[in-house]
Structure formats: structure tokens, C-alpha cells
Amino acid sequence: MKRTARAFWTGPPGHGEIRDVVLPDPVEGEVVVRSLWSGVSRGTETLVFRGGVPENQHTTMRAPFQEGDFPGPVKYGYLNVGLVEEGPDALVGRTVFCLYPHQTRYVVPASAVTPVPESVPAGRAVLAGTVETAVNALWDAAPLVGDRIAVVGGGMVGCSVAALLARFPGVRVQLVDADPARAKIAEALGVGFALPADALGNCDLVVHASATEQGLARALELLTAEGTVLELSWYGDRKVSLPLGEAFHSRRLVIRSSQVGTVSPARANRSYGDRLALALDLLADPALDALVTGESDFEELPELLPRLASGEIPALCHRVRYADIG
């Protein structure tokens, strides 16, 4: 009997559907995983859903187990937590994280899954991909004890960065966002909060993750002389204007990019697997539950994605639950 599953696909930009798929039989060294949870990364996935991936970034933006091509039809996603049903004895029955799209069951190499520590609930483990981005960003930024730091943009990535910075000794961390509702999330993460106009300046480091040119301009304003903005935003096909006149040069300000697709050169001796395992260990902190702001059934994804993309649902990580089907 053939194994079957159901998968979410983006068709024409702005539209999605659930398709039936036939799974291959696993061979030696592969695992069959039944999905328990997946997460919608609101920034990147809604950009893909809208068809906003620039043509010259189609290769760079491919997810590890993506099917189809941009702008669509495409099966896209990378935050999946499931239960290994078949495979090597050491993995059968284990809860694992995998960079797999939204699908009820799937077959992948055993090397593509990472066991979730017993200290981390399966539902929280969907955040692993985003916390991994935050780990890489902080490897790039290399904050120091006592630094004054702002995180501009209280989305999923910005909040993950703020949550990790809250553990650094002696630092002043402030989450900056135009939505006052983010104050409650900042409180849960153990960091300060401010609206953009009220943010504290003289920052040694500003991590920018708002994906807006206004946010990036404000990030530059918050720096002390010779300070650095670490840019985490992904703008897709949008152009961004910046105020690089005025005091930008005289104050010797720095804008530096960071991207999770490459392990930070500052930790070149670490592998992608090392980085992901660290992110999963860090998810033992229950404060990170604050980043999960909504939950829906898998079958609701075709109706859910347009609402996330339009901002009707102002989610950070929207979690998708799976019944034992497919």
C-alpha cells in the first residue's frame, strides 16, 4: 500500500491549496516523520505567498525541501516538528525538528532531522529555525558585557534576538516597535520596550528587523559614534532609501548584513547542525512561548495565509497543528 500525505502549496501569488501527495518508500538511512506541529514564519513565508521573491534571489531563497519554483506553484516552509515513525532505531519514536514545509507526513534523510531535547515541548520547538537565525545574528554582532542595545522590529526574528540578549550580563536591551501591543511580549522576554520616538539612544549596537526603511533610518539615529546596525530584514523586491548624508560619515557608523544561510564567519568552526542543536537547547526557556501568538489546524492554511499576508492576523509565529491523518 502506498504511503500518502497532504501538503500545502502556494499556487498563483496570494492563493494556496492543499494537495494529496504519494510518499516514496524509505530506504536505508531515511526516516518517515509524522508532523505534529509546523510554524508559519510570517515575514519570509508571507513574502513567498505574495510572490515577492526577486528573480535574482530565486536560488538563494530556496528552502531545503522546497518543491516547485518561485513565484509558484511552490511548496515552501521550514519550521516542522514531528514524530519519527520509521527509520534507524535511535530515532524511531523521537520528536524531531526538520526544515520541511507544511505536510502531514514526509520522508527525508535521517541526517536532516534533529532530535528535540526532552526539556523542550514539541509545540515550542517550531521556533527553532528562528532562534537559529538569532544565534547566527549574535555570532555576527558579538555584543559585549555592558553594551547598550536596541532591537528595532518586534517580529519573530527581532523578538528571538531580544530574548537571547536578555541573558547577556550587564546589557541594556530595549525592543523598539511601532505596535504598543509588543510591550507585553517584551515584558515576557525580560527586556525593555519603547515606541520608535521614545527609544533610548547612544546604542553600541542596534539589531534591525522591522523590514521597513523607517525602521532602518531610526536604527541609525539610535547609534552612538562608531556604533553598528546589524541588518536582519529581508526586503524582497522592495527598494530602500537611507539617510547616508548628515552625520553618517562623521560619526563613522556601520551597517552590517547578517543572513542565516551562512554560518557566521566568527564561528566558522561550527556546522549548521551545531547551530540548530544550540537553538533547540535554548528553547528550554519557557519565556519563548510568548513568540507563539496564534494556532490553527493544517486544513485551515489556504484561508490562513491570505489573512497573515494582509496583516489581518498580526501574528509573530503562527503555529499549525496536525491531526493524525495522511
Side-chain angles (χ1 to χ4, degrees):
M1 180 192 280
K2 291 187 178 295
R3 293 177 177 83
T4 60
R6 308 196 75 203
F8 176 74
W9 283 70
T10 293
H15 300 274
E17 64 179 2
I18 291 176
R19 299 182 181 181
D20 294 324
V21 298
V22 176
L23 299 181
D25 291 328
V27 299
E28 185 176 356
E30 292 186 327
V31 290
V32 179
V33 180
R34 173 171 59 86
S35 294
L36 301 173
W37 302 94
S38 61
V40 179
S41 178
R42 186 169 179 263
T44 305
E45 287 196 55
T46 58
L47 182 76
V48 170
F49 186 73
R50 294 193 302 267
V53 179
E55 187 173 351
N56 64 4
Q57 293 296 303
H58 283 189
T59 299
T60 302
M61 281 286 292
R62 286 193 68 87
F65 294 100
Q66 175 180 323
E67 293 182 34
D69 296 302
F70 302 121
V74 62
K75 184 175 77 174
Y76 192 85
Y78 47 83
L79 301 174
N80 187 289
V81 177
L83 184 72
V84 176
E85 295 184 319
E86 299 178 44
D89 291 342
L91 288 173
V92 171
R94 294 290 303 273
T95 300
V96 295
F97 177 86
C98 185
L99 296 168
Y100 205 87
H102 308 285
Q103 185 166 308
T104 56
R105 272 187 178 83
Y106 53 92
V107 179
V108 294
S111 59
V113 302
T114 302
V116 175
E118 292 184 3
S119 58
V120 179
R124 190 187 303 152
V126 297
L127 298 168
T130 308
V131 173
E132 184 183 9
T133 300
V135 167
N136 205 60
L138 294 181
W139 282 349
D140 279 334
L144 300 176
V145 173
D147 272 358
R148 296 159 296 185
I149 304 172
V151 179
V152 177
M156 196 171 165
V157 170
C159 285
S160 295
V161 171
L164 298 191
L165 284 170
R167 307 175 182 211
F168 278 66
V171 299
R172 183 193 80 190
V173 184
Q174 190 170 59
L175 182 67
V176 180
D177 197 275
D179 182 359
R182 293 287 192 260
K184 290 184 178 179
I185 295 172
E187 182 180 4
L189 298 176
V191 300
F193 175 82
L195 297 172
D198 302 324
L200 298 173
N202 293 317
C203 292
D204 304 289
L205 169 68
V206 178
V207 178
H208 179 243
S210 81
T212 67
E213 63 179 50
Q214 296 91 344
L216 183 50
R218 185 61 177 139
L220 287 168
E221 292 173 350
L222 295 176
L223 287 176
T224 190
E226 300 193 2
T228 296
V229 169
L230 189 77
E231 176 59 278
L232 291 180
S233 298
W234 170 245
Y235 298 94
D237 54 3
R238 289 179 291 134
K239 304 292 184 183
V240 177
S241 297
L242 281 180
L244 299 184
E246 303 174 350
F248 178 78
H249 289 284
S250 64
R251 298 177 64 222
R252 300 177 59 84
L253 304 182
V254 175
I255 302 174
R256 182 178 181 186
S257 66
S258 179
Q259 211 277 334
V260 73
T262 302
V263 174
S264 170
R267 294 294 179 271
N269 61 329
R270 306 289 181 89
S271 68
Y272 290 97
D274 293 336
R275 192 178 63 185
L276 180 57
L278 173 59
L280 282 163
D281 285 339
L282 292 169
L283 280 165
D285 184 353
L288 288 160
D289 283 331
L291 303 188
V292 179
T293 54
E295 191 174 297
S296 299
D297 290 327
F298 168 75
E299 300 290 341
E300 298 176 69
L301 275 171
E303 292 75 39
L304 173 69
L305 259 294
R307 298 175 66 199
L308 286 172
S310 70
E312 179 185 344
I313 300 176
L316 293 178
C317 178
H318 195 95
R319 192 163 57 191
V320 178
R321 57 179 173 258
Y322 293 76
D324 189 9
I325 59 174

